[in-house]
Amino acid sequence: VISLPVAGAKLKTSTPVVSGTGTSATGDVAKVTLEFWKGTDTSGAAFRTVSNIDVTAGAWSHTAAALTDGTWTVKATQVDDVGNSFTSTGRTFLIDTGFPTVSISSKPATAIKETTASFTFSTADPDPDGAGVEVASGVASVKCQLDALEYVDCTTTASYGTDEFPLAQGLHTFRVKVTDTSGNQTVEPYTFNVDTQVPAATIESNRGARTKQRTATFTVTATDPDPDLVAEPASDGPATPSGVATVECKLDDDAFVACTAGAASTWTVTYGSDLAPLTETAHTMTTRVTDTAGNVYTRTYDFTVDVTAPTVSTFALQAGSDSGRLNSDRLTNAASLVYDLTFSESVTGIDSPGSTDFQIKGTSTATGCVIGTPSASTYTFGGAAVTVSLTSCSEGTVTLQAKAGAF
């Protein structure tokens, strides 16, 4: 009588143990013969015959040589010393050493800025012969796990993270574990990175905020900082930046285009050329940095191209320096005179000694005049008014004028 394998057993080993009971009574041969057939039909010749298996204390056992995957039937036969035999009924079992399969068809990207993740997958237990003739033992269970959490039953989908309990920053590993009825098991992992931290960037230029040059080159330094750590739920790895994916640049309202990669973490772009110089106006250079997770950071650099020299709009004696009957008659008995100047645009650099930018016109008859230093407190970048004084003038006419090309 065959005890193992039990009828209909599904085994993941190709060398199953076949055991049972026999008799060693007087007149019986204490040996058992096993016959193996592939499939359930035992009418033809056996695929394999194994003789002389000892019966000891009423029991016998045999570890079969390797059997191919599929359905098998085994019978046990014992004879007595005069040739009478007893053959057990066939015992059918399935050998299935093949592993089930998992296919994850829908999953997040390897780096994401979202704090939720969903998966869709399918499982199967392929036929041993791949042709459908032999039938596998079939999928017994499907379980899912995220990171170090417990495996839980699932079917074809799994989702993790909510608004209330978002996924932690950092690496996460999702696993699908499928087991077939024979006990073969497959675990399919997928690792992804949650990164909600936007990248960072700085912009440097070979031009200042105002320039008379018609070209400008910019250097962008872009990095992706480490994401902030979040305590719950635990992730499978440390918070890890996903890395800078693209650095784009544009001038004013133009479309973004890729900047030119340079040394480590730097990108460059140049605007304007001899054939197509920058226009004389205010400009804005914008860079857009995107990391692999999809986080975006933009930064701007404002500058103005000004190739037109400033002109003097007004140059007049202050009313307090004109002591004549009329404030506009340009007659005075004061030895110190104060002039006001206004310019067509913002000016700088007029706080040097007055003789640098101003002079007494040669036709003047007054002598001894000293040109004072323009008052720095009366103008700044962005202002257009300047005050300059004359002192120690003798009687006579005097004309103060700006030197050619001074401004």
Side-chain angles (χ1 to χ4, degrees):
V1 176
I2 297 175
S3 302
L4 293 177
V6 298
K10 298 176 180 179
L11 309 174
K12 65 177 182 179
T13 176
S14 62
T15 57
V17 174
V18 182
S19 62
T21 57
T23 178
S24 54
T26 302
D28 292 333
V29 178
K31 301 286 185 180
V32 169
T33 298
L34 293 179
E35 295 176 288
F36 293 85
W37 285 266
K38 187 68 181 289
T40 58
D41 184 3
T42 60
S43 61
F47 172 82
R48 179 185 298 163
T49 300
V50 182
S51 305
N52 298 318
I53 300 171
D54 292 328
V55 178
T56 303
W60 55 269
S61 180
H62 170 71
T63 300
L67 301 173
T68 59
D69 279 16
T71 301
W72 290 88
T73 301
V74 62
K75 290 182 179 182
T77 301
Q78 187 176 11
V79 299
D80 60 18
D81 54 5
V82 295
N84 298 307
S85 65
F86 173 79
T87 300
S88 69
T89 57
R91 179 62 56 87
T92 299
F93 57 92
L94 176 69
I95 297 292
D96 180 8
T97 62
F99 290 91
T101 60
V102 179
S103 176
I104 303 177
S105 57
S106 177
K107 56 197 173 188
T110 54
I112 60 173
K113 63 181 179 179
E114 296 77 21
T115 55
T116 61
S118 296
F119 299 84
T120 301
F121 49 89
S122 59
T123 60
D125 194 23
D127 295 329
D129 61 0
V133 176
E134 296 290 353
V135 179
S137 60
V139 172
S141 69
V142 181
K143 295 181 179 292
C144 294
Q145 178 196 55
L146 184 68
D147 301 333
L149 300 175
E150 294 291 330
Y151 275 102
V152 296
D153 291 333
C154 52
T155 52
T156 58
T157 61
S159 295
Y160 299 94
T162 64
D163 291 341
E164 185 177 4
F165 299 105
L167 292 175
Q169 301 258 23
L171 297 174
H172 296 272
T173 299
F174 167 70
R175 300 175 183 86
V176 181
K177 179 170 67 177
V178 55
T179 306
D180 67 15
T181 307
S182 298
N184 300 298
Q185 190 175 90
T186 296
V187 177
E188 182 71 15
Y190 181 78
T191 298
F192 61 101
N193 187 21
V194 174
D195 174 11
T196 64
Q197 178 68 49
V198 298
T202 60
I203 303 174
E204 296 181 351
S205 177
N206 64 341
R207 309 299 182 209
R210 296 180 69 86
T211 179
K212 64 180 181 181
Q213 305 301 320
R214 304 297 289 268
T215 65
T217 297
F218 300 87
T219 299
V220 178
T221 301
T223 58
D224 195 23
D226 289 340
D228 296 329
L229 292 175
V230 180
E232 294 291 343
S235 67
D236 216 31
T240 304
S242 58
V244 173
T246 61
V247 177
E248 301 167 293
C249 298
K250 74 170 186 174
L251 184 67
D252 301 330
D253 294 327
D254 293 344
F256 278 107
V257 296
C259 304
T260 301
S265 301
T266 62
W267 288 257
T268 60
V269 64
T270 297
Y271 296 107
S273 66
D274 292 341
L275 295 178
L278 291 172
T279 56
E280 185 178 9
T281 186
H283 295 279
T284 298
M285 178 271 184
T286 304
T287 186
R288 180 172 66 187
V289 181
T290 306
D291 66 16
T292 305
N295 300 295
V296 177
Y297 175 78
T298 58
R299 192 179 183 100
T300 59
Y301 186 102
D302 296 324
F303 67 103
T304 298
V305 175
D306 180 5
V307 297
T308 301
T311 58
V312 176
S313 301
T314 61
F315 192 176
L317 192 66
Q318 283 189 356
S321 295
D322 190 342
S323 61
R325 188 170 60 86
L326 299 175
N327 285 339
S328 60
D329 60 10
R330 293 185 291 177
L331 296 174
T332 184
N333 60 7
S336 297
L337 308 177
V338 179
Y339 293 83
D340 285 332
L341 293 85
T342 58
F343 293 87
S344 60
E345 59 183 305
S346 302
V347 293
T348 58
I350 315 178
D351 52 355
S352 56
S355 59
T356 301
D357 297 318
F358 298 93
Q359 64 185 4
I360 303 299
K361 190 174 181 181
T363 57
S364 299
T365 61
T367 61
C369 295
V370 176
I371 303 173
T373 298
S375 175
S377 63
T378 61
Y379 80 99
T380 58
F381 181 80
V386 175
T387 298
V388 64
S389 64
L390 286 178
T391 59
S392 303
C393 291
S394 68
E395 289 188 357
T397 62
V398 62
T399 301
L400 179 68
Q401 63 183 182
K403 292 183 179 180
F407 312 119

